[in-house]
Amino acid sequence: MFLLTALAIAVMLALLGPALRDNDQAALVSGAVQLAHGDAPWWRAPFYNYDKQYGSYLLLALLIRLWPGLDPVLAGNLLQTVLLSAGLALAAWRVGRRRGLPAWLAAAVLASPVLVLYGPFLGTSTMSLAFLLMAFSALAGPPSAAARALACLLVAVAAACRADAVLVVPALYLAVAPRGTPWGLLRRGLPWALGLAAVLPVLAGRLIDPNRNPDFLGYVIDLKVWLALTLFGMGAGALAALLLLAGLYAALAVLRPRWRLFHLAIAAAALLPLAFYSGQLSTPRYFLPSVAVLLFLGTSRRTAALVRGLRPGWAVRAAGAGVAAAALLPWAVGLSLPALDAARPALAGATRIPTADGVIPMGAYAAFVAETRAAGFALDHNHKIWQSAAATRFEPCDGRVDLLGTGMVKYLELAAVLQGHAVRELATPEQSACGFVYADARSLTRGYGGNGPGDRPGFFARPMQVASDAGGGQPVLRIAASGAPSDLARALEALRARFAGREFELHLGPAPAVPNQIAVPVCGGGIIPAATCPSTPAGWAAGIYPAYMGK
């Protein structure tokens, strides 16, 4: 376990840098900067999901205040990487020397792509995980009142960083609890203390920010999305280990009726986070609570004894080897899948899956780490939009910069805040006192179920110009409230229809066609006739993801 822990931390350090992987990360950094500079109050701050993630905002704000010269984006990534590395190292120190610890369970956890590949990029779920790992380390050591108090404090910090830490607390307690009946468990003080430590920060969030975002987005399972994100995000090895662990305790509940409810509780705790998030998957980060549960329950002395007692031994060894192979092999070998009938193994350049928190490759994770560094973190629209936003020279009016409210607006907000501007998020350009707003081009051309800015009738019938194209295919636009449509506006409208809401990049200037993807010239290529768009910058629009991935 020590070697795998060291390797996981080494990979995270290799990925550390001033990079943004998703819009929520930009929102978190922007809010923390405003808190650190005193531009927003910590009580009822008007930030995204502040009621459920205020701990993450406040911790980063504290670091920015203490270290004002550090790039805030890098500060957030550095803070999280240090905390997560410390949590993993402490957990390995506590349980790595235990006799009979199943090595395949350790491999399933420490080789999980979501843990290692997302660890160096600030996210509230990972911040929360870091404190949960520390709490587990406190409880896994010699029992004492001080250790229990420290664990409760760390659980409270984890819940303040992200409210879904409550999903992990049952497994955290059952991993270290002596066996008992339900009534016996309820008579103990620790489960009540841990429960209060997890719930009270969540309730406090309701007071700190009463104008909260929805807690639950509905429950709909898209099997294709579930399989892709589970197998390549959580990792096939981690999924197999979690299901195997839950199955073993469910079987034990049948074989030992006296402790049936206790063992069923462990099986249910193992699957609780996975069940909660399976119906609202949009990012691999939703699997981090399940990875934590797997670590807590999989490294417990009870599980080690259970695995040692399984027969026949060859079947146990074969199952363990299968889980370890499923966890480790994808780091070396991936899948190239440009079309559903064109699959082939790949040691590098594996097909990438778009998610709400950036792309995740179909295996070949080791090569993906090198590819990430080689691309300067600009793997998809997220960091590219941030690059364009950071290079935009925003023009304020009435003391504020007007931004069009889109799914990517937090990148522009962060860039404007770092330039010393206050921002105003508007629903339409017509609401701007400046007569213009800023927005990223992608948000105007993507399909958002009929609810995006570009879905409004006549939206493109106005002047638009490029404010910055530093992101290489993801420009930031300055959009006027009224006036005759510019050639760029007409080109964007035509490209939106051409790609039918699918992801594409608009490259200004000569750009080669992208293999296996759609690439069409903006002028003179069926989008806008060359003779009628003399003022449109020459360029190419290129599709990004394989057609079978849809929108």
Side-chain angles (χ1 to χ4, degrees), residues 220-231:
V220 178
I221 295 181
D222 184 322
L223 184 59
K224 181 175 70 173
V225 172
W226 190 91
L227 287 173
L229 295 187
T230 304
L231 294 178

Side-chain angles (χ1 to χ4, degrees), residues 103-188:
W104 50 272
L105 277 171
V109 171
L110 294 168
S112 175
V114 67
L115 177 69
V116 180
L117 298 182
Y118 284 88
F121 303 99
L122 180 65
T124 56
S125 53
T126 313
M127 289 279 283
S128 178
L129 172 64
F131 289 104
L132 289 170
L133 290 171
M134 296 178 195
F136 172 68
S137 300
L139 292 175
S144 68
R148 291 191 291 271
L150 177 60
C152 289
L153 175 61
L154 291 167
V155 166
V157 176
C161 287
R162 188 176 174 95
D164 64 359
V166 299
L167 300 173
V168 180
V169 170
L172 174 63
Y173 172 68
L174 292 170
V176 299
R179 189 169 53 187
T181 63
W183 176 244
L185 294 178
L186 291 175
R187 293 177 62 185
R188 298 171 186 170

Side-chain angles (χ1 to χ4, degrees), residues 450-489:
N451 297 317
D455 293 301
R456 300 168 191 151
F459 181 83
F460 291 95
R462 66 182 78 241
M464 297 182 185
Q465 65 186 71
V466 175
S468 170
D469 186 41
Q474 298 291 353
V476 168
L477 308 178
R478 174 170 161 155
I479 305 169
S482 61
S486 62
D487 293 331
L488 178 60

Side-chain angles (χ1 to χ4, degrees), residues 343-372:
R344 61 177 180 81
L347 299 179
T351 297
R352 296 169 185 173
I353 304 168
T355 80
D357 287 344
V359 293
I360 191 80
M362 294 182 177
Y365 302 121
F368 179 75
V369 173
E371 292 161 6
T372 300

Side-chain angles (χ1 to χ4, degrees), residues 94-388:
R94 281 297 191 195
V95 304
R97 294 168 292 179
R98 286 180 177 174
R99 176 177 174 269
L101 176 68
W104 50 272
L105 277 171
V109 171
L110 294 168
S112 175
V114 67
L115 177 69
V116 180
L117 298 182
Y118 284 88
F121 303 99
L122 180 65
T124 56
S125 53
T126 313
M127 289 279 283
S128 178
L129 172 64
F131 289 104
L132 289 170
L133 290 171
M134 296 178 195
F136 172 68
S137 300
L139 292 175
S144 68
R148 291 191 291 271
L150 177 60
C152 289
L153 175 61
L154 291 167
V155 166
V157 176
C161 287
R162 188 176 174 95
D164 64 359
V166 299
L167 300 173
V168 180
V169 170
L172 174 63
Y173 172 68
L174 292 170
V176 299
R179 189 169 53 187
T181 63
W183 176 244
L185 294 178
L186 291 175
R187 293 177 62 185
R188 298 171 186 170
L190 182 57
W192 290 101
L194 288 172
L196 286 174
V199 171
L200 288 180
V202 177
L203 297 178
R206 302 307 196 253
L207 298 175
I208 292 173
D209 181 20
N211 299 315
R212 56 186 182 269
N213 296 94
D215 296 329
F216 190 69
L217 302 178
Y219 202 88
V220 178
I221 295 181
D222 184 322
L223 184 59
K224 181 175 70 173
V225 172
W226 190 91
L227 287 173
L229 295 187
T230 304
L231 294 178
F232 299 109
M234 181 181 181
L239 176 64
L242 187 67
L243 296 178
L244 184 59
L245 189 65
L248 286 175
Y249 278 104
L252 194 61
V254 175
L255 296 174
R256 297 184 181 177
R258 181 182 177 187
W259 305 110
R260 176 171 297 163
L261 292 179
F262 181 77
H263 292 132
L264 283 177
I266 295 178
L271 299 177
L272 177 60
L274 182 65
F276 180 83
Y277 276 122
S278 284
Q280 44 185 336
L281 273 183
S282 60
T283 167
R285 279 192 168 128
Y286 287 166
F287 291 120
L288 283 171
S290 292
V291 173
V293 164
L294 180 60
L295 175 63
F296 300 161
L297 294 177
T299 59
S300 71
R301 290 187 173 90
R302 183 178 294 109
T303 298
L306 173 60
V307 172
R308 284 198 306 270
L310 293 176
R311 296 292 182 271
W314 65 266
V316 177
R317 291 190 294 272
V323 170
L328 297 174
L329 282 179
W331 279 87
V333 182
L335 183 65
S336 175
L337 194 63
L340 293 178
D341 59 352
R344 61 177 180 81
L347 299 179
T351 297
R352 296 169 185 173
I353 304 168
T355 80
D357 287 344
V359 293
I360 191 80
M362 294 182 177
Y365 302 121
F368 179 75
V369 173
E371 292 161 6
T372 300
R373 296 296 312 191
F377 301 101
L379 294 175
D380 63 3
H381 66 276
N382 289 287
H383 195 67
K384 292 181 178 182
I385 292 176
W386 164 239
Q387 289 176 320
S388 287

Side-chain angles (χ1 to χ4, degrees), residues 423-444:
V423 299
R424 181 166 44 208
E425 187 175 329
L426 305 174
T428 66
E430 289 79 7
Q431 295 175 337
S432 172
C434 306
F436 61 88
V437 296
Y438 294 93
D440 66 288
R442 176 184 181 273
S443 292
L444 308 184

